Amino acid sequence: MKNSIKMSTFTCLLIITMSFNSHAQQSKKNVLINTWHIDTYMIQGKKYPPSRKEKNDFIQFNKDMTFFSKSEGKDENGTFIYNTNGAYIEMIDEQGGKLKAYIISITKKKLVLKFDIEELREVEIHFNAHI
């Protein structure tokens, strides 16, 4: 009898934990759906402002899993995949090019990404939400 009570308790805890974890992952995805404007770059603990060409750069993630971005005055469209296990976003542009960005942190107002590009691997890019 004791074992069945322990097993029932364990099963309930497991279901609650999985449910909470799934909800938290969904919430992060919902928070990601926004327009994110570049704020600063963080390199080895020091913050740097974006250049004049990058001042108006942004990424807009949409509910339909599409994105629109502006980088140094160039527009780009495509789709994205949000991978909750690896905590990254993979953006696929209209030509099929892929770009992976690891989510360092995300809140309703701030997003910090590290892009999987050789020259940017040590750079955290900080974005602010356009609310």
Side-chain angles (χ1 to χ4, degrees), residues 30-123:
N30 291 341
V31 171
L32 181 66
I33 306 304
N34 208 333
T35 301
W36 299 96
H37 293 270
I38 194 163
D39 180 48
T40 57
Y41 294 101
M42 178 90 70
I43 304 169
Q44 296 179 347
K46 288 184 75 177
K47 287 187 175 184
Y48 298 92
S51 70
R52 266 191 287 191
K53 287 194 316 187
E54 300 168 319
K55 203 86 173 150
N56 296 315
D57 286 4
F58 68 89
I59 303 172
Q60 178 183 320
F61 294 106
N62 303 308
K63 285 184 182 181
D64 65 357
M65 304 302 285
T66 61
F67 75 90
F68 176 73
S69 68
K70 184 175 288 281
S71 179
E72 296 182 359
K74 296 179 184 174
D75 295 344
E76 192 164 51
N77 293 297
T79 59
F80 73 94
I81 299 165
Y82 175 63
N83 183 304
T84 55
N85 293 333
Y88 68 84
I89 306 158
E90 186 171 58
M91 293 171 272
I92 302 113
D93 66 22
E94 292 176 322
Q95 289 75 37
K98 294 181 180 181
L99 177 61
K100 187 184 286 187
Y102 292 95
I103 300 171
I104 305 304
S105 65
I106 187 169
T107 67
K108 288 182 180 182
K109 295 182 181 180
K110 297 206 176 273
L111 172 65
V112 180
L113 298 176
K114 264 192 178 180
F115 286 88
D116 192 15
I117 303 172
E118 187 64 38
E119 59 271 9
L120 291 178
R121 283 210 177 106
E122 299 306 314
V123 179

Side-chain angles (χ1 to χ4, degrees), residues 8-23:
S8 294
T9 304
F10 175 75
T11 303
C12 286
L13 286 174
L14 185 62
I15 290 170
I16 291 168
T17 302
M18 289 173 62
S19 166
F20 177 76
N21 197 19
S22 174
H23 177 70

